[in-house]
Amino acid sequence: MFFLKELPTRQMIQGYAKQHSMEIVDSVETALLMMRQASLLVRQIEAYFSDHDTSQLRFLILIVIDREPERDSLLVSEISDRIDVSRPVMTRTLQSMVDEKLIVMKADQSDRRAKQVSLTEKGCKFLESVLPGYFDVICKFMMDLKK
Amino acid sequence: MFFLKELPTRQMIQGYAKQHSMEIVDSVETALLMMRQASLLVRQIEAYFSDHDTSQLRFLILIVIDREPERDSLLVSEISDRIDVSRPVMTRTLQSMVDEKLIVMKADQSDRRAKQVSLTEKGCKFLESVLPGYFDVICKFMMDLKK
DNA sequence: GGTATTTAGTTATCATGATAACTAAATTTT
DNA sequence: AAAATTTAGTTATCATGATAACTAAATACC
């Protein structure tokens, strides 16, 4: 997250940067603006999911399992390949989602270390129920940006 | 932070969004890309500061005090006006920065509830020492983006 | 001038990110 | 086939974000 409310002016960036090339000042300005806007959007998204007693990470886990063509389960390692949080965070989050009955986990047949994760009926329904609002939050934010 | 590594294709977004207007699909795609890129950059920045035994928040606190024209201290509340983290996080972070001797805090004369925060010599030097690398990280990231 | 409200900052507690160190199973190497 | 390494996932612990509830001082209201 990037927490600075008022971004530095170009002049200020120029003052701090040792090399004063326009290109560098430009790219720093663009980067700061991108981080700030993304942070504001991420906050709105997290607030949306928090209102629905969940989190963006839980949502992403549901969606990567759901969007997999021709499969109805993924290994924990496959989910981790698609979402870059650390393994312990993945373990903990999956456990909470099992508790909430959004997913089920069962031992893999061919590799006894591995675990198959699949959506429950409840998880599927829940994903469908939060998706429209998720798009709404993003669209509304992007509309406001254009103004 | 936005953790999804492979963003959904336009088709996939279209499949999930109830309304299929191009505009909506477009803005969702743009937003996801922005959040993903910003997250990657923020991670690099945090890694950079972590290598220097500090954090982006500490850096931002130093810089908002430093960049204030005609003043060499700010009230905690003024720092909070400029950086949107919660007050308890601000309190805790300022305390750690006092422990590290990057800043000093003293009671305000006119308002006995308030505290003036100013940079120490060490804090000033430290800020100067990390600034070039900070710009480097951002510039390098933005260069790679263009490719 | 006394009561009520607001403002400044802190403390306690929780949620969620990380890394390091671990167990157990699979795989590679020799 | 035994030993070494890699891979899958977990546990323990820490860092850093949040909110709720608090103290104390300043300000507003009557």
Side-chain angles (χ1 to χ4, degrees), chain B residues 2-109:
Chain B
F2 186 76
F3 298 114
L4 193 62
K5 286 183 191 168
E6 272 182 58
L7 300 184
T9 60
R10 293 176 58 81
Q11 278 192 329
M12 216 179 287
I13 296 171
Q14 222 157 30
Y16 279 125
K18 293 289 176 189
Q19 295 172 278
H20 295 168
S21 106
M22 269 309 169
E23 211 190 329
I24 285 179
V25 173
D26 257 1
S27 77
V28 169
E29 193 181 32
T30 304
L32 297 181
L33 191 62
M34 176 185 73
M35 286 191 290
R36 183 62 188 146
Q37 286 174 349
S39 293
L40 290 173
L41 177 52
V42 167
R43 275 207 175 161
Q44 288 192 18
I45 290 173
E46 290 292 11
Y48 170 73
F49 285 125
S50 174
D51 286 347
H52 292 77
D53 297 308
T54 191
S55 66
Q56 189 181 207
L57 177 56
R58 270 166 253 244
F59 168 77
L60 291 177
I61 290 170
L62 293 176
I63 220 164
V64 298
I65 300 172
D66 182 70
R67 85 180 183 189
E68 198 61 30
E70 332 202 340
R71 295 183 56 186
D72 67 342
S73 74
L74 284 180
L75 298 174
V76 173
S77 56
E78 291 173 321
I79 300 175
S80 288
D81 289 341
R82 290 159 175 71
I83 301 177
D84 72 350
V85 296
S86 63
R87 279 302 187 88
V89 168
M90 189 57 75
T91 293
R92 188 215 284 151
T93 307
L94 290 175
Q95 277 167 353
S96 76
M97 291 173 76
V98 169
D99 294 345
E100 293 158 3
K101 306 204 190 304
L102 296 172
I103 56 172
V104 285
M105 294 172 77
K106 62 165 194 234
D108 186 79
Q109 290 308 308

Side-chain angles (χ1 to χ4, degrees), chain A residues 40-51:
Chain A
L40 290 173
L41 177 52
V42 167
R43 276 208 172 159
Q44 288 192 19
I45 289 173
E46 291 291 11
Y48 170 72
F49 285 125
S50 174
D51 286 346

Side-chain angles (χ1 to χ4, degrees), chain B residues 82-141:
Chain B
R82 290 159 175 71
I83 301 177
D84 72 350
V85 296
S86 63
R87 279 302 187 88
V89 168
M90 189 57 75
T91 293
R92 188 215 284 151
T93 307
L94 290 175
Q95 277 167 353
S96 76
M97 291 173 76
V98 169
D99 294 345
E100 293 158 3
K101 306 204 190 304
L102 296 172
I103 56 172
V104 285
M105 294 172 77
K106 62 165 194 234
D108 186 79
Q109 290 308 308
S110 61
D111 185 338
R112 284 187 302 157
R113 297 167 304 178
K115 291 180 174 178
Q116 293 280 350
V117 183
S118 46
L119 299 189
T120 60
E121 185 65 27
K122 184 182 174 189
C124 237
K125 287 265 166 60
F126 181 72
L127 177 57
E128 277 170 40
S129 77
V130 293
L131 256 167
Y134 176 70
F135 284 119
D136 284 350
V137 171
I138 293 177
C139 287
K140 212 163 286 175
F141 182 89

Side-chain angles (χ1 to χ4, degrees), chain A residues 61-99:
Chain A
I61 290 170
L62 292 176
I63 221 164
V64 298
I65 301 172
D66 183 69
R67 85 180 181 189
E68 199 60 31
E70 332 202 341
R71 295 182 57 185
D72 68 342
S73 75
L74 284 180
L75 298 173
V76 173
S77 56
E78 291 174 320
I79 299 174
S80 288
D81 289 341
R82 290 160 176 72
I83 301 177
D84 71 350
V85 294
S86 63
R87 279 302 189 89
V89 168
M90 188 57 75
T91 294
R92 188 215 284 150
T93 307
L94 290 174
Q95 277 167 353
S96 76
M97 292 172 75
V98 169
D99 293 346

